[in-house]
Amino acid sequence: MGEPEAGSEFAIGAAAAAGPMADTQYILPNDIGVSSLDCREAFRLLSPTERLYAHHLSRAAWYGGLAVLLQTSPEAPYIYALLSRLFRAQDPDELRQHALAEGLTEEEYQAFLVYAAGVYSNMGNYKSFGDTKFVPNLPKEKLERVILGSKAAQQHPGEVRGLWQTCGELMFSLEPRLRHLGLGKEGITTYFSGDCTMEDAKLAQDFLDSQNLSAYNTRLFKEVDQDGKPCYEVRLASVLGTEPALDSEMTSKLKSHEFRGSRFQVTRGDYAPILHKVVEHLEKAKTYAANSHQEQMLAQYIESFTQGSIEAHKRGSRFWIQDKGPIVESYIGFIESYRDPFGSRGEFEGFVAMVNKAMSAKFERLVASAEQLLKELPWPPAFEKDKFLTPDFTSLDVLTFAGSGIPAGINIPNYDDLRQTEGFKNVSLGNVLAVAYATQREKLTFLEEEDKDLYIRWKGPSFDVQVGLHELLGHGSGKLFVQDEKGAFNFDQKTVINPETGEQIQSWYRSGETWDSKFSTIASSYEECRAESVGLYLCLHPQVLGIFGFEGADAEDVIYVNWLNMVRAGLLALEFYTPEASNWRQAHMQARFVILRVLLEAGEGLVTITPTTGADGRPDARVRLDRSKIRSVGKPALERFLRRLQVLKSTGDVSGGRALYEGYAAVTDAPPECFLSLRDTVLLRKESRKLIVQPNTRLEGSEVQLLEYEASAAGLIRSFSERFPEDGPELEEVLTQLATADAQFWKGPCEAPSGQA
């Protein structure tokens, strides 16, 4: 579970100086914040062998990250290929001369660079945080002139023109269904073919459960036969396709099944050429592994990506959990399910990072206190895991994070069965947090003047505390009540009492059911809300603050800013709600809004939101938190809420869980807050998330060099232009071929561009 920071303080979403071409919701502003990840010192401290290990893992991650283009939108692979060809032939400075000669203004060219950097950063043309489409903030005809007159077009006229014809319209289109990721009429997704509905997704989940197959590495494609009967293809991600393999674990599943009157065909080979590259570099990394845990972990990942087996990935994750305190930490696979509209398919990600020893020491002290702190959580002992499996908790400096975005902290693996019996690892990404806190006072929205200096001073330290508690004791706590395939229960049916009803336990998870499969569309956000609430609740504990080195007045300020940051984030969250569809587009932000509602409901003036008029004469708002009431009013309200969240989760009570969570997550214009009206104010003053420039590693002889880039849109583009020096054009062709092969499932965008088929 990845954790983006609450209320990220990134450059304000002002329109480009030339004035926006589209609604500011759907553009990235010219003055968007761009930061470079700094890992130079951590990389310098690695031995030559550790550098080689990190290099090959990074290569595997970057190759695998390309699959995200195919997991996002039908046009994303073509846009990526077009931009890559453009900037390989002319770097951003050279292309600028050509663009200005074609009649673009400086602002329009900058808008194009920001768009391109956004596509690379998000691995597609939808924001990884909020799932909203973004379009170039300049006239389409002008961009067309730049592209068709570019050096790339002169060198490969058929290919470049073909790519533009395929994706040009979709790049700019803001027709309602294309504005957000979603299923059916709600939006666009490539996890499902365009004709799939939520009912199809539910049926497919039931089918997968019946076959004991995980949805994590799958996509679902639906067709209707001559008799009008639906036929579904469940396609697993793997290097191998239809060719026979010795591996019986997967081959026995690859066949046609009848299920509730529909036909399900299980196939594999999704993203095959991309995963082939991933496997190639994992094999090379294995040579430089530090121990047998790492070797066995990589062997299982290779098996997983080759065969399409999530069971093999679980086995790899077991070895990964056992690899305590490595110098080079990594994880790779189909991990987070935030962007699947149904909530059970994983997006590809891979990260490689080096341990930051000073911060890790604080987290180790938190781990040492964890068993004691778990007893402070507001649910009976029977609802806690039978044994706390002491996890690794390290602060890392990221070298590579490939995928659609970079979180601030992670608690993985996400497999329930492993988390309950084998444990997990927590990581806090220190150099990501460092660049996220460059908070400028004048860009701080919705706070009282007297809170701003305190907020700027303590936001970073308070967030370290919150991430630590959220990952370790939030995601790391709580038991699921399960009946296994033999009928045995992991709890005592006679003695365990539901504290909410006073009765014995009436519901639980049956064999094959998981938290994600059972709670589906609300699972991610509900779990983030539980973890965030644990963080707020336990940060009140003096022992926790002492571990991080805070006491007295400083400790009180850390608590205040942590709670204030959460309620402010709850207001900022309204940007990620779509009133037309009555749905939330971002799991963490929905969670923070729910917590804001819980604290507002507590009353007694704990939290107030007041509409105001800003100095610019436009609507504004102020969030206030009464720090004297955090313990007396806030803590009891959070305690009641947390207990209900955990009990409903433990017992697998989907209807109760949905009623509770969706009740708090409802956005209405009911007084006193009038959230729908407040949403307009939030959009008016919204901030754009910073773009992060990452380094590359390059093998020169037997030495690994670290290549760094400037913190600008052009620097970010250069980092991608140099990311695949050996096989860039080949990869782009692979991506467009894969996209074209499935284009019929989204009816329209993608006839094969000439020279690409």
Side-chain angles (χ1 to χ4, degrees), residues 313-327:
H313 197 269
K314 282 186 185 177
R315 291 193 292 272
S317 298
R318 271 195 189 94
F319 290 118
W320 178 72
I321 293 164
Q322 290 160 18
D323 183 28
K324 302 276 189 192
I327 305 292

mmCIF file with all atom_site columns, all heavy atoms in Angstrom, residues 313-327:
data_model
loop_
_atom_site.group_PDB
_atom_site.id
_atom_site.type_symbol
_atom_site.label_atom_id
_atom_site.label_alt_id
_atom_site.label_comp_id
_atom_site.label_asym_id
_atom_site.label_entity_id
_atom_site.label_seq_id
_atom_site.pdbx_PDB_ins_code
_atom_site.Cartn_x
_atom_site.Cartn_y
_atom_site.Cartn_z
_atom_site.occupancy
_atom_site.B_iso_or_equiv
_atom_site.pdbx_formal_charge
_atom_site.auth_seq_id
_atom_site.auth_comp_id
_atom_site.auth_asym_id
_atom_site.auth_atom_id
_atom_site.pdbx_PDB_model_num
ATOM 1   N N   . HIS A 1 313 ? 4.867  -15.102 -7.347 1.00 0.00 ? 313 HIS A N   1
ATOM 2   C CA  . HIS A 1 313 ? 5.198  -13.765 -6.825 1.00 0.00 ? 313 HIS A CA  1
ATOM 3   C C   . HIS A 1 313 ? 5.051  -13.747 -5.303 1.00 0.00 ? 313 HIS A C   1
ATOM 4   O O   . HIS A 1 313 ? 5.849  -13.111 -4.598 1.00 0.00 ? 313 HIS A O   1
ATOM 5   C CB  . HIS A 1 313 ? 4.312  -12.690 -7.470 1.00 0.00 ? 313 HIS A CB  1
ATOM 6   C CG  . HIS A 1 313 ? 4.858  -11.309 -7.287 1.00 0.00 ? 313 HIS A CG  1
ATOM 7   N ND1 . HIS A 1 313 ? 4.518  -10.517 -6.215 1.00 0.00 ? 313 HIS A ND1 1
ATOM 8   C CD2 . HIS A 1 313 ? 5.764  -10.595 -8.012 1.00 0.00 ? 313 HIS A CD2 1
ATOM 9   C CE1 . HIS A 1 313 ? 5.178  -9.366  -6.300 1.00 0.00 ? 313 HIS A CE1 1
ATOM 10  N NE2 . HIS A 1 313 ? 5.934  -9.388  -7.373 1.00 0.00 ? 313 HIS A NE2 1
ATOM 11  N N   . LYS A 1 314 ? 4.066  -14.456 -4.800 1.00 0.00 ? 314 LYS A N   1
ATOM 12  C CA  . LYS A 1 314 ? 3.909  -14.572 -3.336 1.00 0.00 ? 314 LYS A CA  1
ATOM 13  C C   . LYS A 1 314 ? 5.108  -15.269 -2.717 1.00 0.00 ? 314 LYS A C   1
ATOM 14  O O   . LYS A 1 314 ? 5.605  -14.859 -1.673 1.00 0.00 ? 314 LYS A O   1
ATOM 15  C CB  . LYS A 1 314 ? 2.637  -15.369 -2.990 1.00 0.00 ? 314 LYS A CB  1
ATOM 16  C CG  . LYS A 1 314 ? 1.343  -14.590 -3.106 1.00 0.00 ? 314 LYS A CG  1
ATOM 17  C CD  . LYS A 1 314 ? 0.210  -15.446 -2.587 1.00 0.00 ? 314 LYS A CD  1
ATOM 18  C CE  . LYS A 1 314 ? -1.125 -14.777 -2.793 1.00 0.00 ? 314 LYS A CE  1
ATOM 19  N NZ  . LYS A 1 314 ? -2.240 -15.624 -2.371 1.00 0.00 ? 314 LYS A NZ  1
ATOM 20  N N   . ARG A 1 315 ? 5.573  -16.343 -3.379 1.00 0.00 ? 315 ARG A N   1
ATOM 21  C CA  . ARG A 1 315 ? 6.747  -17.046 -2.844 1.00 0.00 ? 315 ARG A CA  1
ATOM 22  C C   . ARG A 1 315 ? 7.956  -16.103 -2.844 1.00 0.00 ? 315 ARG A C   1
ATOM 23  O O   . ARG A 1 315 ? 8.735  -16.068 -1.888 1.00 0.00 ? 315 ARG A O   1
ATOM 24  C CB  . ARG A 1 315 ? 7.039  -18.308 -3.671 1.00 0.00 ? 315 ARG A CB  1
ATOM 25  C CG  . ARG A 1 315 ? 5.983  -19.403 -3.516 1.00 0.00 ? 315 ARG A CG  1
ATOM 26  C CD  . ARG A 1 315 ? 6.447  -20.736 -4.079 1.00 0.00 ? 315 ARG A CD  1
ATOM 27  N NE  . ARG A 1 315 ? 6.585  -20.744 -5.524 1.00 0.00 ? 315 ARG A NE  1
ATOM 28  C CZ  . ARG A 1 315 ? 5.601  -21.036 -6.386 1.00 0.00 ? 315 ARG A CZ  1
ATOM 29  N NH1 . ARG A 1 315 ? 4.392  -21.333 -5.929 1.00 0.00 ? 315 ARG A NH1 1
ATOM 30  N NH2 . ARG A 1 315 ? 5.818  -21.030 -7.690 1.00 0.00 ? 315 ARG A NH2 1
ATOM 31  N N   . GLY A 1 316 ? 8.099  -15.323 -3.917 1.00 0.00 ? 316 GLY A N   1
ATOM 32  C CA  . GLY A 1 316 ? 9.185  -14.338 -3.974 1.00 0.00 ? 316 GLY A CA  1
ATOM 33  C C   . GLY A 1 316 ? 9.055  -13.315 -2.861 1.00 0.00 ? 316 GLY A C   1
ATOM 34  O O   . GLY A 1 316 ? 10.047 -12.911 -2.240 1.00 0.00 ? 316 GLY A O   1
ATOM 35  N N   . SER A 1 317 ? 7.811  -12.906 -2.583 1.00 0.00 ? 317 SER A N   1
ATOM 36  C CA  . SER A 1 317 ? 7.561  -11.921 -1.526 1.00 0.00 ? 317 SER A CA  1
ATOM 37  C C   . SER A 1 317 ? 7.906  -12.488 -0.151 1.00 0.00 ? 317 SER A C   1
ATOM 38  O O   . SER A 1 317 ? 8.328  -11.746 0.739  1.00 0.00 ? 317 SER A O   1
ATOM 39  C CB  . SER A 1 317 ? 6.094  -11.467 -1.560 1.00 0.00 ? 317 SER A CB  1
ATOM 40  O OG  . SER A 1 317 ? 5.803  -10.845 -2.790 1.00 0.00 ? 317 SER A OG  1
ATOM 41  N N   . ARG A 1 318 ? 7.727  -13.793 0.019  1.00 0.00 ? 318 ARG A N   1
ATOM 42  C CA  . ARG A 1 318 ? 8.118  -14.434 1.292  1.00 0.00 ? 318 ARG A CA  1
ATOM 43  C C   . ARG A 1 318 ? 9.624  -14.272 1.521  1.00 0.00 ? 318 ARG A C   1
ATOM 44  O O   . ARG A 1 318 ? 10.057 -13.901 2.602  1.00 0.00 ? 318 ARG A O   1
ATOM 45  C CB  . ARG A 1 318 ? 7.798  -15.933 1.266  1.00 0.00 ? 318 ARG A CB  1
ATOM 46  C CG  . ARG A 1 318 ? 6.428  -16.254 1.739  1.00 0.00 ? 318 ARG A CG  1
ATOM 47  C CD  . ARG A 1 318 ? 6.238  -17.732 2.061  1.00 0.00 ? 318 ARG A CD  1
ATOM 48  N NE  . ARG A 1 318 ? 4.821  -17.936 2.308  1.00 0.00 ? 318 ARG A NE  1
ATOM 49  C CZ  . ARG A 1 318 ? 3.950  -18.322 1.382  1.00 0.00 ? 318 ARG A CZ  1
ATOM 50  N NH1 . ARG A 1 318 ? 4.347  -18.580 0.168  1.00 0.00 ? 318 ARG A NH1 1
ATOM 51  N NH2 . ARG A 1 318 ? 2.674  -18.458 1.687  1.00 0.00 ? 318 ARG A NH2 1
ATOM 52  N N   . PHE A 1 319 ? 10.409 -14.576 0.475  1.00 0.00 ? 319 PHE A N   1
ATOM 53  C CA  . PHE A 1 319 ? 11.867 -14.415 0.595  1.00 0.00 ? 319 PHE A CA  1
ATOM 54  C C   . PHE A 1 319 ? 12.223 -12.946 0.805  1.00 0.00 ? 319 PHE A C   1
ATOM 55  O O   . PHE A 1 319 ? 13.158 -12.620 1.521  1.00 0.00 ? 319 PHE A O   1
ATOM 56  C CB  . PHE A 1 319 ? 12.585 -14.964 -0.653 1.00 0.00 ? 319 PHE A CB  1
ATOM 57  C CG  . PHE A 1 319 ? 12.525 -16.465 -0.751 1.00 0.00 ? 319 PHE A CG  1
ATOM 58  C CD1 . PHE A 1 319 ? 11.891 -17.097 -1.814 1.00 0.00 ? 319 PHE A CD1 1
ATOM 59  C CD2 . PHE A 1 319 ? 13.109 -17.269 0.242  1.00 0.00 ? 319 PHE A CD2 1
ATOM 60  C CE1 . PHE A 1 319 ? 11.831 -18.483 -1.902 1.00 0.00 ? 319 PHE A CE1 1
ATOM 61  C CE2 . PHE A 1 319 ? 13.056 -18.662 0.159  1.00 0.00 ? 319 PHE A CE2 1
ATOM 62  C CZ  . PHE A 1 319 ? 12.414 -19.262 -0.912 1.00 0.00 ? 319 PHE A CZ  1
ATOM 63  N N   . TRP A 1 320 ? 11.457 -12.073 0.169  1.00 0.00 ? 320 TRP A N   1
ATOM 64  C CA  . TRP A 1 320 ? 11.706 -10.624 0.296  1.00 0.00 ? 320 TRP A CA  1
ATOM 65  C C   . TRP A 1 320 ? 11.482 -10.172 1.751  1.00 0.00 ? 320 TRP A C   1
ATOM 66  O O   . TRP A 1 320 ? 12.274 -9.407  2.299  1.00 0.00 ? 320 TRP A O   1
ATOM 67  C CB  . TRP A 1 320 ? 10.781 -9.879  -0.668 1.00 0.00 ? 320 TRP A CB  1
ATOM 68  C CG  . TRP A 1 320 ? 10.909 -8.390  -0.595 1.00 0.00 ? 320 TRP A CG  1
ATOM 69  C CD1 . TRP A 1 320 ? 11.959 -7.635  -1.037 1.00 0.00 ? 320 TRP A CD1 1
ATOM 70  C CD2 . TRP A 1 320 ? 9.961  -7.473  -0.047 1.00 0.00 ? 320 TRP A CD2 1
ATOM 71  N NE1 . TRP A 1 320 ? 11.713 -6.296  -0.802 1.00 0.00 ? 320 TRP A NE1 1
ATOM 72  C CE2 . TRP A 1 320 ? 10.500 -6.173  -0.198 1.00 0.00 ? 320 TRP A CE2 1
ATOM 73  C CE3 . TRP A 1 320 ? 8.703  -7.615  0.542  1.00 0.00 ? 320 TRP A CE3 1
ATOM 74  C CZ2 . TRP A 1 320 ? 9.827  -5.028  0.230  1.00 0.00 ? 320 TRP A CZ2 1
ATOM 75  C CZ3 . TRP A 1 320 ? 8.030  -6.477  0.962  1.00 0.00 ? 320 TRP A CZ3 1
ATOM 76  C CH2 . TRP A 1 320 ? 8.594  -5.206  0.809  1.00 0.00 ? 320 TRP A CH2 1
ATOM 77  N N   . ILE A 1 321 ? 10.417 -10.667 2.372  1.00 0.00 ? 321 ILE A N   1
ATOM 78  C CA  . ILE A 1 321 ? 10.131 -10.323 3.778  1.00 0.00 ? 321 ILE A CA  1
ATOM 79  C C   . ILE A 1 321 ? 11.281 -10.813 4.673  1.00 0.00 ? 321 ILE A C   1
ATOM 80  O O   . ILE A 1 321 ? 11.679 -10.153 5.629  1.00 0.00 ? 321 ILE A O   1
ATOM 81  C CB  . ILE A 1 321 ? 8.790  -10.946 4.239  1.00 0.00 ? 321 ILE A CB  1
ATOM 82  C CG1 . ILE A 1 321 ? 7.609  -10.303 3.499  1.00 0.00 ? 321 ILE A CG1 1
ATOM 83  C CG2 . ILE A 1 321 ? 8.596  -10.782 5.753  1.00 0.00 ? 321 ILE A CG2 1
ATOM 84  C CD1 . ILE A 1 321 ? 6.308  -11.092 3.605  1.00 0.00 ? 321 ILE A CD1 1
ATOM 85  N N   . GLN A 1 322 ? 11.824 -11.992 4.322  1.00 0.00 ? 322 GLN A N   1
ATOM 86  C CA  . GLN A 1 322 ? 12.902 -12.576 5.142  1.00 0.00 ? 322 GLN A CA  1
ATOM 87  C C   . GLN A 1 322 ? 14.251 -11.864 4.942  1.00 0.00 ? 322 GLN A C   1
ATOM 88  O O   . GLN A 1 322 ? 15.157 -12.001 5.760  1.00 0.00 ? 322 GLN A O   1
ATOM 89  C CB  . GLN A 1 322 ? 13.061 -14.066 4.802  1.00 0.00 ? 322 GLN A CB  1
ATOM 90  C CG  . GLN A 1 322 ? 11.881 -14.911 5.282  1.00 0.00 ? 322 GLN A CG  1
ATOM 91  C CD  . GLN A 1 322 ? 11.787 -16.251 4.559  1.00 0.00 ? 322 GLN A CD  1
ATOM 92  O OE1 . GLN A 1 322 ? 12.751 -16.708 3.941  1.00 0.00 ? 322 GLN A OE1 1
ATOM 93  N NE2 . GLN A 1 322 ? 10.621 -16.883 4.614  1.00 0.00 ? 322 GLN A NE2 1
ATOM 94  N N   . ASP A 1 323 ? 14.369 -11.108 3.863  1.00 0.00 ? 323 ASP A N   1
ATOM 95  C CA  . ASP A 1 323 ? 15.626 -10.407 3.574  1.00 0.00 ? 323 ASP A CA  1
ATOM 96  C C   . ASP A 1 323 ? 15.647 -9.105  4.383  1.00 0.00 ? 323 ASP A C   1
ATOM 97  O O   . ASP A 1 323 ? 15.330 -8.034  3.884  1.00 0.00 ? 323 ASP A O   1
ATOM 98  C CB  . ASP A 1 323 ? 15.716 -10.119 2.064  1.00 0.00 ? 323 ASP A CB  1
ATOM 99  C CG  . ASP A 1 323 ? 17.028 -9.459  1.673  1.00 0.00 ? 323 ASP A CG  1
ATOM 100 O OD1 . ASP A 1 323 ? 18.038 -9.695  2.365  1.00 0.00 ? 323 ASP A OD1 1
ATOM 101 O OD2 . ASP A 1 323 ? 17.034 -8.697  0.688  1.00 0.00 ? 323 ASP A OD2 1
ATOM 102 N N   . LYS A 1 324 ? 16.003 -9.232  5.663  1.00 0.00 ? 324 LYS A N   1
ATOM 103 C CA  . LYS A 1 324 ? 15.914 -8.102  6.594  1.00 0.00 ? 324 LYS A CA  1
ATOM 104 C C   . LYS A 1 324 ? 17.077 -7.119  6.398  1.00 0.00 ? 324 LYS A C   1
ATOM 105 O O   . LYS A 1 324 ? 18.223 -7.541  6.254  1.00 0.00 ? 324 LYS A O   1
ATOM 106 C CB  . LYS A 1 324 ? 15.957 -8.597  8.048  1.00 0.00 ? 324 LYS A CB  1
ATOM 107 C CG  . LYS A 1 324 ? 14.855 -9.586  8.400  1.00 0.00 ? 324 LYS A CG  1
ATOM 108 C CD  . LYS A 1 324 ? 13.573 -8.890  8.769  1.00 0.00 ? 324 LYS A CD  1
ATOM 109 C CE  . LYS A 1 324 ? 12.545 -9.870  9.330  1.00 0.00 ? 324 LYS A CE  1
ATOM 110 N NZ  . LYS A 1 324 ? 11.221 -9.299  9.428  1.00 0.00 ? 324 LYS A NZ  1
ATOM 111 N N   . GLY A 1 325 ? 16.742 -5.838  6.401  1.00 0.00 ? 325 GLY A N   1
ATOM 112 C CA  . GLY A 1 325 ? 17.760 -4.783  6.391  1.00 0.00 ? 325 GLY A CA  1
ATOM 113 C C   . GLY A 1 325 ? 18.777 -4.835  5.277  1.00 0.00 ? 325 GLY A C   1
ATOM 114 O O   . GLY A 1 325 ? 19.972 -4.637  5.519  1.00 0.00 ? 325 GLY A O   1
ATOM 115 N N   . PRO A 1 326 ? 18.366 -5.074  4.013  1.00 0.00 ? 326 PRO A N   1
ATOM 116 C CA  . PRO A 1 326 ? 19.361 -5.098  2.937  1.00 0.00 ? 326 PRO A CA  1
ATOM 117 C C   . PRO A 1 326 ? 19.898 -3.685  2.677  1.00 0.00 ? 326 PRO A C   1
ATOM 118 O O   . PRO A 1 326 ? 19.214 -2.704  2.972  1.00 0.00 ? 326 PRO A O   1
ATOM 119 C CB  . PRO A 1 326 ? 18.557 -5.598  1.732  1.00 0.00 ? 326 PRO A CB  1
ATOM 120 C CG  . PRO A 1 326 ? 17.157 -5.140  2.012  1.00 0.00 ? 326 PRO A CG  1
ATOM 121 C CD  . PRO A 1 326 ? 16.987 -5.214  3.505  1.00 0.00 ? 326 PRO A CD  1
ATOM 122 N N   . ILE A 1 327 ? 21.083 -3.603  2.122  1.00 0.00 ? 327 ILE A N   1
ATOM 123 C CA  . ILE A 1 327 ? 21.647 -2.290  1.752  1.00 0.00 ? 327 ILE A CA  1
ATOM 124 C C   . ILE A 1 327 ? 20.855 -1.712  0.577  1.00 0.00 ? 327 ILE A C   1
ATOM 125 O O   . ILE A 1 327 ? 20.513 -0.542  0.550  1.00 0.00 ? 327 ILE A O   1
ATOM 126 C CB  . ILE A 1 327 ? 23.147 -2.416  1.347  1.00 0.00 ? 327 ILE A CB  1
ATOM 127 C CG1 . ILE A 1 327 ? 23.960 -3.085  2.463  1.00 0.00 ? 327 ILE A CG1 1
ATOM 128 C CG2 . ILE A 1 327 ? 23.721 -1.059  0.973  1.00 0.00 ? 327 ILE A CG2 1
ATOM 129 C CD1 . ILE A 1 327 ? 24.114 -2.273  3.721  1.00 0.00 ? 327 ILE A CD1 1
#
